[in-house]
Amino acid sequence: LPEILKRRQDIAEKYLEGLKNLSLKLPENTLGRVWQDFIIRTPRRDELFNYLKENGIETMKNNYPFPVSKLPQAQKYEDETLRLPCNENVTDEEVIEIINYVKKFYE
């Protein structure tokens, strides 16, 4: 387990460094985090999701149906989140490829 957690931390650090100057919101409060997922936020979530999918990169987006009349901010947050691959089986090369595709999307 410690090796798995360390690997996920390494992947997250690569994402944080590689994506830091783009027009998207990166995770905050990263100290001691387990990194089940690496979640970014962007108003262009669906476009980025489709772009990455077209280039063979599998990501996930949540689609929880929040009652907009009661939780409008929760729904807005949900509509902007995208989960990048962050499990211990992702290679450094794959992480770099994902970073490069995200950068290319924002060019």
Side-chain angles (χ1 to χ4, degrees):
L1 183 60
E3 290 175 21
I4 290 171
L5 298 178
K6 172 71 170 107
R7 176 65 188 145
R8 288 176 180 239
Q9 179 68 42
D10 291 345
I11 292 168
E13 288 173 7
K14 286 178 182 16
Y15 282 138
L16 289 167
E17 180 63 29
L19 302 175
K20 69 181 176 184
N21 293 321
L22 301 178
S23 297
L24 50 81
K25 187 160 177 62
L26 298 175
E28 297 176 4
N29 302 321
T30 60
L31 188 62
R33 200 153 163 191
V34 175
W35 298 105
Q36 170 65 25
D37 297 301
F38 190 89
I39 301 173
I40 60 172
R41 282 184 62 194
T42 174
R44 299 178 65 194
R45 187 241 356 224
D46 290 339
E47 292 173 70
L48 179 56
F49 174 85
N50 291 329
Y51 175 78
L52 293 173
K53 184 177 181 179
E54 289 168 6
N55 286 285
I57 298 170
E58 184 178 337
T59 61
M60 292 175 53
K61 54 184 177 175
N62 291 338
N63 288 309
Y64 298 120
F66 290 104
V68 177
S69 61
K70 294 182 181 180
L71 299 167
Q73 288 302 99
Q75 188 62 56
K76 180 180 181 336
Y77 177 84
E78 190 70 9
D79 291 342
E80 293 181 351
T81 59
L82 186 66
R83 298 166 184 265
L84 299 180
C86 194
N87 71 64
E88 65 278 2
N89 298 315
V90 178
T91 67
D92 286 346
E93 293 78 17
E94 290 169 327
V95 172
I96 291 167
E97 180 181 24
I98 293 164
I99 290 169
N100 288 336
Y101 273 108
V102 173
K103 285 181 174 181
K104 188 182 246 187
F105 175 81
Y106 279 98
E107 287 179 349

